[in-house]
Short mmCIF file of all heavy atoms in Angstrom, two decimals:
data_model
loop_
_atom_site.label_atom_id
_atom_site.label_comp_id
_atom_site.label_asym_id
_atom_site.label_seq_id
_atom_site.Cartn_x
_atom_site.Cartn_y
_atom_site.Cartn_z
N ILE A 292 305.30 143.74 16.01
CA ILE A 292 304.64 143.00 15.02
C ILE A 292 303.21 142.67 15.49
O ILE A 292 302.25 142.60 14.73
CB ILE A 292 305.40 141.72 14.65
CG1 ILE A 292 304.88 141.07 13.33
CG2 ILE A 292 305.45 140.73 15.74
CD1 ILE A 292 305.34 141.76 12.11
N ALA A 293 303.09 142.43 16.80
CA ALA A 293 301.73 142.19 17.39
C ALA A 293 300.81 143.35 17.20
O ALA A 293 299.69 143.20 16.83
CB ALA A 293 301.86 141.81 18.84
N ASP A 294 301.32 144.60 17.43
CA ASP A 294 300.51 145.78 17.22
C ASP A 294 300.06 145.89 15.76
O ASP A 294 298.99 146.46 15.48
CB ASP A 294 301.25 147.06 17.64
CG ASP A 294 301.44 147.12 19.14
OD1 ASP A 294 300.69 146.50 19.89
OD2 ASP A 294 302.37 147.88 19.58
N VAL A 295 300.86 145.46 14.82
CA VAL A 295 300.60 145.56 13.42
C VAL A 295 299.56 144.59 12.98
O VAL A 295 298.57 144.93 12.35
CB VAL A 295 301.90 145.39 12.60
CG1 VAL A 295 301.60 145.44 11.09
CG2 VAL A 295 302.88 146.50 12.96
N ILE A 296 299.80 143.30 13.27
CA ILE A 296 298.92 142.29 12.63
C ILE A 296 297.72 141.88 13.49
O ILE A 296 296.78 141.28 12.94
CB ILE A 296 299.70 141.01 12.25
CG1 ILE A 296 300.24 140.29 13.48
CG2 ILE A 296 300.77 141.28 11.28
CD1 ILE A 296 300.78 138.90 13.21
N LEU A 297 297.70 142.19 14.78
CA LEU A 297 296.59 141.76 15.59
C LEU A 297 295.39 142.64 15.53
O LEU A 297 294.92 143.26 16.45
CB LEU A 297 297.05 141.53 17.00
CG LEU A 297 298.01 140.35 17.14
CD1 LEU A 297 298.50 140.17 18.56
CD2 LEU A 297 297.36 139.07 16.65
N HIS A 298 294.89 142.75 14.28
CA HIS A 298 293.64 143.43 14.02
C HIS A 298 292.88 142.44 13.11
O HIS A 298 293.43 141.84 12.25
CB HIS A 298 293.93 144.76 13.28
CG HIS A 298 292.70 145.51 12.92
ND1 HIS A 298 291.86 145.20 11.91
CD2 HIS A 298 292.16 146.65 13.54
CE1 HIS A 298 290.88 146.05 11.85
NE2 HIS A 298 290.98 146.90 12.83
N PRO A 299 291.55 142.31 13.33
CA PRO A 299 290.80 141.35 12.57
C PRO A 299 290.96 141.43 11.03
O PRO A 299 291.06 140.39 10.32
CB PRO A 299 289.38 141.57 12.99
CG PRO A 299 289.45 142.18 14.34
CD PRO A 299 290.75 142.99 14.34
N VAL A 300 290.99 142.62 10.47
CA VAL A 300 291.15 142.77 9.04
C VAL A 300 292.57 142.45 8.60
O VAL A 300 292.78 141.76 7.62
CB VAL A 300 290.71 144.19 8.54
CG1 VAL A 300 291.03 144.38 7.08
CG2 VAL A 300 289.20 144.40 8.83
N ARG A 301 293.48 142.94 9.35
CA ARG A 301 294.90 142.71 8.98
C ARG A 301 295.26 141.20 9.07
O ARG A 301 296.04 140.74 8.24
CB ARG A 301 295.87 143.53 9.85
CG ARG A 301 295.75 145.00 9.56
CD ARG A 301 296.67 145.81 10.44
NE ARG A 301 296.32 147.25 10.30
CZ ARG A 301 296.72 148.15 11.13
NH1 ARG A 301 297.46 147.82 12.19
NH2 ARG A 301 296.36 149.40 10.92
N ILE A 302 294.81 140.51 10.04
CA ILE A 302 295.13 139.13 10.13
C ILE A 302 294.51 138.32 8.99
O ILE A 302 295.07 137.40 8.43
CB ILE A 302 294.72 138.51 11.52
CG1 ILE A 302 295.53 137.30 11.87
CG2 ILE A 302 293.25 138.21 11.64
CD1 ILE A 302 295.46 136.85 13.29
N ARG A 303 293.32 138.80 8.53
CA ARG A 303 292.72 138.11 7.37
C ARG A 303 293.51 138.39 6.08
O ARG A 303 293.70 137.49 5.24
CB ARG A 303 291.25 138.58 7.22
CG ARG A 303 290.36 138.00 8.24
CD ARG A 303 288.94 138.54 8.15
NE ARG A 303 288.36 138.00 6.93
CZ ARG A 303 287.15 138.51 6.40
NH1 ARG A 303 286.51 139.44 7.10
NH2 ARG A 303 286.66 138.04 5.34
N ILE A 304 294.08 139.61 5.96
CA ILE A 304 294.88 139.91 4.76
C ILE A 304 296.11 139.03 4.81
O ILE A 304 296.48 138.46 3.75
CB ILE A 304 295.26 141.43 4.79
CG1 ILE A 304 294.04 142.27 4.56
CG2 ILE A 304 296.34 141.72 3.77
CD1 ILE A 304 294.22 143.77 4.85
N VAL A 305 296.78 138.93 5.88
CA VAL A 305 298.00 138.15 6.03
C VAL A 305 297.69 136.64 5.72
O VAL A 305 298.39 136.00 5.00
CB VAL A 305 298.66 138.30 7.39
CG1 VAL A 305 299.76 137.28 7.64
CG2 VAL A 305 299.20 139.73 7.54
N GLN A 306 296.53 136.15 6.24
CA GLN A 306 296.14 134.82 5.99
C GLN A 306 295.96 134.53 4.44
O GLN A 306 296.34 133.49 3.97
CB GLN A 306 294.89 134.42 6.77
CG GLN A 306 295.07 134.30 8.22
CD GLN A 306 295.92 133.10 8.62
OE1 GLN A 306 295.93 132.09 7.94
NE2 GLN A 306 296.71 133.23 9.68
N GLN A 307 295.32 135.47 3.79
CA GLN A 307 295.08 135.29 2.32
C GLN A 307 296.38 135.26 1.55
O GLN A 307 296.44 134.59 0.55
CB GLN A 307 294.20 136.50 1.85
CG GLN A 307 292.75 136.35 2.21
CD GLN A 307 292.12 135.08 1.73
OE1 GLN A 307 292.32 134.64 0.58
NE2 GLN A 307 291.32 134.42 2.59
N LEU A 308 297.34 136.05 2.00
CA LEU A 308 298.63 136.08 1.21
C LEU A 308 299.56 134.92 1.54
O LEU A 308 300.56 134.81 0.80
CB LEU A 308 299.29 137.44 1.41
CG LEU A 308 298.55 138.61 0.69
CD1 LEU A 308 299.03 139.92 1.21
CD2 LEU A 308 298.78 138.46 -0.82
N GLY A 309 299.33 134.22 2.62
CA GLY A 309 300.23 133.14 2.99
C GLY A 309 300.45 132.17 1.78
O GLY A 309 299.49 131.54 1.37
N GLY A 310 301.67 132.03 1.31
CA GLY A 310 302.02 131.10 0.30
C GLY A 310 301.61 131.47 -1.14
O GLY A 310 301.78 130.69 -2.10
N ARG A 311 301.17 132.71 -1.31
CA ARG A 311 300.83 133.18 -2.68
C ARG A 311 300.88 134.67 -2.74
O ARG A 311 300.84 135.39 -1.75
CB ARG A 311 299.47 132.62 -3.06
CG ARG A 311 298.32 133.15 -2.23
CD ARG A 311 297.03 132.54 -2.62
NE ARG A 311 295.97 132.98 -1.73
CZ ARG A 311 294.71 132.63 -1.86
NH1 ARG A 311 294.37 131.85 -2.87
NH2 ARG A 311 293.77 133.06 -0.99
N ASP A 312 301.01 135.17 -3.95
CA ASP A 312 300.88 136.59 -4.22
C ASP A 312 299.52 136.91 -4.83
O ASP A 312 298.98 136.07 -5.62
CB ASP A 312 301.95 136.99 -5.25
CG ASP A 312 303.38 136.77 -4.73
OD1 ASP A 312 303.53 136.56 -3.50
OD2 ASP A 312 304.30 136.86 -5.57
N LEU A 313 298.99 138.02 -4.42
CA LEU A 313 297.63 138.45 -4.93
C LEU A 313 297.66 139.85 -5.34
O LEU A 313 298.38 140.66 -4.69
CB LEU A 313 296.55 138.23 -3.84
CG LEU A 313 296.26 136.90 -3.31
CD1 LEU A 313 295.30 136.91 -2.15
CD2 LEU A 313 295.74 135.94 -4.44
N THR A 314 296.94 140.18 -6.43
CA THR A 314 296.73 141.60 -6.71
C THR A 314 295.73 142.18 -5.75
O THR A 314 295.05 141.45 -5.05
CB THR A 314 296.20 141.77 -8.16
OG1 THR A 314 294.83 141.21 -8.17
CG2 THR A 314 297.01 141.10 -9.24
N THR A 315 295.69 143.44 -5.68
CA THR A 315 294.79 144.09 -4.76
C THR A 315 293.31 143.74 -5.10
O THR A 315 292.49 143.55 -4.24
CB THR A 315 294.94 145.65 -4.71
OG1 THR A 315 294.99 146.12 -6.07
CG2 THR A 315 296.20 146.03 -4.02
N ALA A 316 293.06 143.59 -6.40
CA ALA A 316 291.73 143.17 -6.84
C ALA A 316 291.39 141.72 -6.37
O ALA A 316 290.27 141.46 -5.93
CB ALA A 316 291.57 143.29 -8.37
N GLU A 317 292.35 140.82 -6.46
CA GLU A 317 292.16 139.47 -6.01
C GLU A 317 291.97 139.44 -4.49
O GLU A 317 291.15 138.65 -3.97
CB GLU A 317 293.35 138.59 -6.40
CG GLU A 317 293.42 138.31 -7.88
CD GLU A 317 294.77 137.70 -8.28
OE1 GLU A 317 295.79 137.92 -7.64
OE2 GLU A 317 294.75 136.91 -9.28
N LEU A 318 292.69 140.28 -3.76
CA LEU A 318 292.53 140.37 -2.36
C LEU A 318 291.16 140.92 -1.99
O LEU A 318 290.47 140.39 -1.04
CB LEU A 318 293.63 141.29 -1.71
CG LEU A 318 293.74 141.30 -0.25
CD1 LEU A 318 293.98 139.93 0.33
CD2 LEU A 318 294.91 142.23 0.16
N ARG A 319 290.68 141.90 -2.71
CA ARG A 319 289.31 142.39 -2.49
C ARG A 319 288.30 141.28 -2.68
O ARG A 319 287.35 141.13 -1.93
CB ARG A 319 288.99 143.55 -3.47
CG ARG A 319 289.17 144.93 -2.94
CD ARG A 319 288.57 146.02 -3.76
NE ARG A 319 288.34 145.71 -5.17
CZ ARG A 319 289.14 146.03 -6.15
NH1 ARG A 319 290.30 146.58 -5.94
NH2 ARG A 319 288.79 145.76 -7.44
N ASP A 320 288.44 140.45 -3.75
CA ASP A 320 287.55 139.37 -4.04
C ASP A 320 287.58 138.32 -2.93
O ASP A 320 286.58 137.67 -2.62
CB ASP A 320 287.85 138.71 -5.39
CG ASP A 320 287.54 139.58 -6.55
OD1 ASP A 320 286.81 140.60 -6.38
OD2 ASP A 320 288.07 139.32 -7.65
N ALA A 321 288.78 138.09 -2.33
CA ALA A 321 288.96 137.08 -1.29
C ALA A 321 288.37 137.56 0.04
O ALA A 321 287.99 136.68 0.88
CB ALA A 321 290.45 136.78 -1.09
N ILE A 322 288.21 138.82 0.22
CA ILE A 322 287.69 139.37 1.47
C ILE A 322 286.55 140.35 1.15
O ILE A 322 286.67 141.57 1.37
CB ILE A 322 288.82 140.09 2.32
CG1 ILE A 322 290.05 139.14 2.44
CG2 ILE A 322 288.25 140.41 3.67
CD1 ILE A 322 291.14 139.78 3.15
N PRO A 323 285.47 139.87 0.53
CA PRO A 323 284.44 140.75 0.03
C PRO A 323 283.66 141.53 1.05
O PRO A 323 283.07 142.55 0.74
CB PRO A 323 283.50 139.77 -0.74
CG PRO A 323 283.69 138.48 -0.07
CD PRO A 323 285.12 138.47 0.38
N ASP A 324 283.64 141.08 2.34
CA ASP A 324 282.92 141.82 3.34
C ASP A 324 283.58 142.99 3.94
O ASP A 324 283.08 143.73 4.74
CB ASP A 324 282.52 140.82 4.49
CG ASP A 324 283.69 140.16 5.10
OD1 ASP A 324 284.60 139.69 4.35
OD2 ASP A 324 283.79 140.13 6.36
N VAL A 325 284.90 143.23 3.50
CA VAL A 325 285.65 144.38 3.92
C VAL A 325 285.61 145.46 2.83
O VAL A 325 285.91 145.17 1.68
CB VAL A 325 287.11 143.98 4.22
CG1 VAL A 325 287.94 145.24 4.63
CG2 VAL A 325 287.13 142.97 5.37
N SER A 326 285.17 146.66 3.17
CA SER A 326 285.07 147.71 2.14
C SER A 326 286.43 147.99 1.54
O SER A 326 287.50 147.83 2.17
CB SER A 326 284.44 149.00 2.74
OG SER A 326 285.41 149.62 3.60
N GLN A 327 286.43 148.48 0.28
CA GLN A 327 287.63 148.74 -0.40
C GLN A 327 288.53 149.79 0.33
O GLN A 327 289.77 149.56 0.50
CB GLN A 327 287.38 149.31 -1.83
CG GLN A 327 288.63 149.52 -2.65
CD GLN A 327 288.27 149.83 -4.10
OE1 GLN A 327 287.24 149.42 -4.59
NE2 GLN A 327 289.13 150.48 -4.79
N PRO A 328 287.98 150.94 0.79
CA PRO A 328 288.82 151.92 1.53
C PRO A 328 289.46 151.32 2.80
O PRO A 328 290.61 151.53 3.08
CB PRO A 328 287.89 153.03 1.88
CG PRO A 328 286.76 152.89 0.92
CD PRO A 328 286.62 151.46 0.59
N THR A 329 288.69 150.53 3.52
CA THR A 329 289.21 149.88 4.74
C THR A 329 290.29 148.87 4.39
O THR A 329 291.38 148.90 5.01
CB THR A 329 288.07 149.15 5.48
OG1 THR A 329 287.09 150.14 5.88
CG2 THR A 329 288.58 148.40 6.71
N LEU A 330 290.08 148.06 3.36
CA LEU A 330 291.07 147.12 2.93
C LEU A 330 292.37 147.82 2.52
O LEU A 330 293.48 147.45 3.00
CB LEU A 330 290.55 146.26 1.74
CG LEU A 330 291.50 145.20 1.21
CD1 LEU A 330 291.69 144.04 2.28
CD2 LEU A 330 290.99 144.69 -0.08
N TYR A 331 292.26 148.85 1.77
CA TYR A 331 293.49 149.57 1.28
C TYR A 331 294.21 150.27 2.45
O TYR A 331 295.43 150.32 2.44
CB TYR A 331 293.09 150.62 0.17
CG TYR A 331 292.76 149.92 -1.15
CD1 TYR A 331 292.81 148.57 -1.39
CD2 TYR A 331 292.44 150.73 -2.25
CE1 TYR A 331 292.47 147.98 -2.56
CE2 TYR A 331 292.16 150.17 -3.46
CZ TYR A 331 292.18 148.80 -3.65
OH TYR A 331 291.89 148.17 -4.85
N ARG A 332 293.47 150.77 3.42
CA ARG A 332 294.07 151.38 4.55
C ARG A 332 294.90 150.38 5.34
O ARG A 332 296.06 150.66 5.76
CB ARG A 332 293.02 152.06 5.44
CG ARG A 332 293.59 152.85 6.64
CD ARG A 332 292.53 153.58 7.45
NE ARG A 332 291.60 152.66 8.10
CZ ARG A 332 290.39 152.48 7.75
NH1 ARG A 332 289.81 153.17 6.77
NH2 ARG A 332 289.59 151.64 8.40
N HIS A 333 294.35 149.18 5.51
CA HIS A 333 295.07 148.18 6.27
C HIS A 333 296.23 147.59 5.41
O HIS A 333 297.27 147.24 6.02
CB HIS A 333 294.12 147.05 6.74
CG HIS A 333 293.23 147.49 7.87
ND1 HIS A 333 293.70 147.79 9.16
CD2 HIS A 333 291.90 147.73 7.89
CE1 HIS A 333 292.69 148.18 9.86
NE2 HIS A 333 291.57 148.15 9.17
#
Side-chain angles (χ1 to χ4, degrees):
I292 195 79
D294 289 339
V295 175
I296 65 167
L297 292 177
H298 181 283
V300 172
R301 292 182 190 162
I302 204 166
R303 288 179 66 193
I304 292 168
V305 170
Q306 289 292 329
Q307 286 300 317
L308 287 165
R311 62 184 176 176
D312 296 348
L313 296 175
T314 65
T315 48
E317 290 169 329
L318 189 55
R319 264 194 338 266
D320 291 343
I322 310 175
D324 57 313
V325 176
S326 72
Q327 184 173 335
T329 298
L330 182 69
Y331 286 2
R332 185 175 64 251
H333 288 292

